[in-house]
Amino acid sequence: MGIFKRIKTITMAEMNGLLDGIEDPIAMLNEYSREMEQEIVKGQKALARQIFVEKKQAALISETQAFVDKRNRQAKLAIEHGEDAMAKLAVREKLVLEKQLHLYHEQAEAIKTQTQLLNEKIEHLEETYNQMQHKKILLASRANVALSTKQIQKATVSFQTDTIARGVVRAEEQILMMEAEVQAGNQFSTPLAQFDAAANQFVDEDELNKELEKLRNEKVALV
């Protein structure tokens, strides 16, 4: 069981490492920006449809109001001409139209409320998007700094290990060269010293004759 657990741990570590490498924060921010832009486009399209419905409702109210006014005029005209049945029919249609008109006004208010809410949501979405864009710039700058620092740290680590090792080797070589030069100097200086000693021991012929003459004179004096 211990072996399988270790294999699982190693596999999970490798998978997490791959995911960390794939998960580019800047790419993620760009993807979030694209998704936000798509949401804004959807919201704008929905707002356009909502405004169309609002205008259509306003046109329906205007048209119904015109019919109400028309039936009202027809009812008055029928009353003036003593046409009670026609007046009653006109008044009936007028009352029906007024009820419809009241309903249309209520619907129009509801539509306006929906339009206002949708507009506020889009404005909030756009504000969030703008904030995210500014934040993305800041985060991108931070990511670049972090990446540069990470690269510098890697380069520094490489420099400290490789260059220092090479420097130690060069220093050792220089020390060996210095020791070799000293040793070589000693080897050459010894024969020279011997030569100098031999030179110091050399006596020329004149000096030798003078010393012999000196000894003869001393011997004669003693006799």
Side-chain angles (χ1 to χ4, degrees):
M1 292 297 294
I3 295 176
F4 291 110
K5 186 176 181 181
R6 289 181 62 187
I7 293 174
K8 180 180 178 181
T9 302
I10 294 171
T11 304
M12 292 298 295
E14 291 177 351
M15 290 178 63
N16 290 330
L18 291 173
L19 290 175
D20 291 339
I22 295 172
E23 197 176 51
D24 184 0
I26 304 302
M28 291 172 61
L29 291 174
N30 292 332
E31 180 61 26
Y32 293 149
S33 296
R34 286 190 290 269
E35 292 179 0
M36 187 73 72
E37 290 171 357
Q38 293 174 358
E39 293 297 320
I40 292 174
V41 171
K42 291 180 182 178
Q44 291 174 343
K45 289 181 179 179
L47 181 60
R49 290 193 297 268
Q50 191 70 18
I51 293 173
F52 171 77
V53 172
E54 186 176 338
K55 290 183 177 180
K56 189 175 181 180
Q57 189 71 14
L60 182 60
I61 291 173
S62 179
E63 181 181 356
T64 304
Q65 183 64 53
F67 280 122
V68 170
D69 295 339
K70 183 178 181 180
R71 293 297 182 266
N72 189 49
R73 290 192 303 269
Q74 288 175 346
K76 289 180 180 180
L77 185 60
I79 292 172
E80 290 177 1
H81 288 82
E83 298 176 355
D84 294 338
M86 184 65 69
K88 187 176 181 179
L89 180 61
V91 171
R92 185 186 299 275
E93 290 185 2
K94 174 191 172 185
L95 293 175
V96 172
L97 289 170
E98 284 179 344
K99 290 181 181 181
Q100 290 179 348
L101 185 61
H102 179 71
L103 178 61
Y104 293 159
H105 277 293
E106 290 181 349
Q107 292 176 344
E109 290 299 322
I111 293 171
K112 285 182 180 179
T113 301
Q114 292 175 353
T115 303
Q116 183 178 359
L117 290 174
L118 183 58
N119 192 30
E120 289 176 355
K121 287 182 179 180
I122 293 174
E123 289 179 353
H124 177 70
L125 189 61
E126 290 177 344
E127 182 180 357
T128 303
Y129 174 78
N130 292 331
Q131 291 177 355
M132 188 179 69
Q133 291 299 105
H134 292 299
K135 192 170 185 179
K136 185 177 74 172
I137 295 173
L138 177 61
L139 291 175
S141 176
R142 290 171 57 186
N144 289 331
V145 172
L147 181 60
S148 299
T149 304
K150 188 176 181 180
Q151 292 175 347
I152 291 172
Q153 288 175 346
K154 288 183 178 179
T156 304
V157 171
S158 176
F159 172 81
Q160 290 177 347
T161 55
D162 297 340
T163 306
I164 291 177
R166 290 195 297 268
V168 171
V169 173
R170 286 197 301 271
E172 184 178 5
E173 291 176 351
Q174 291 176 355
I175 292 173
L176 290 174
M177 181 60 71
M178 292 171 61
E179 292 175 347
E181 290 176 352
V182 171
Q183 185 176 359
N186 290 334
Q187 291 177 354
F188 283 106
S189 63
T190 301
L192 291 176
Q194 294 175 352
F195 177 80
D196 291 339
N200 291 331
Q201 293 175 359
F202 176 77
V203 178
D204 58 10
E205 190 69 20
D206 293 337
E207 185 179 1
L208 178 61
N209 293 328
K210 288 180 180 180
E211 187 66 22
L212 290 173
E213 185 65 25
K214 180 180 177 182
L215 292 175
R216 290 192 187 97
N217 294 332
E218 290 178 356
K219 183 178 181 180
V220 171
L222 291 174
V223 174

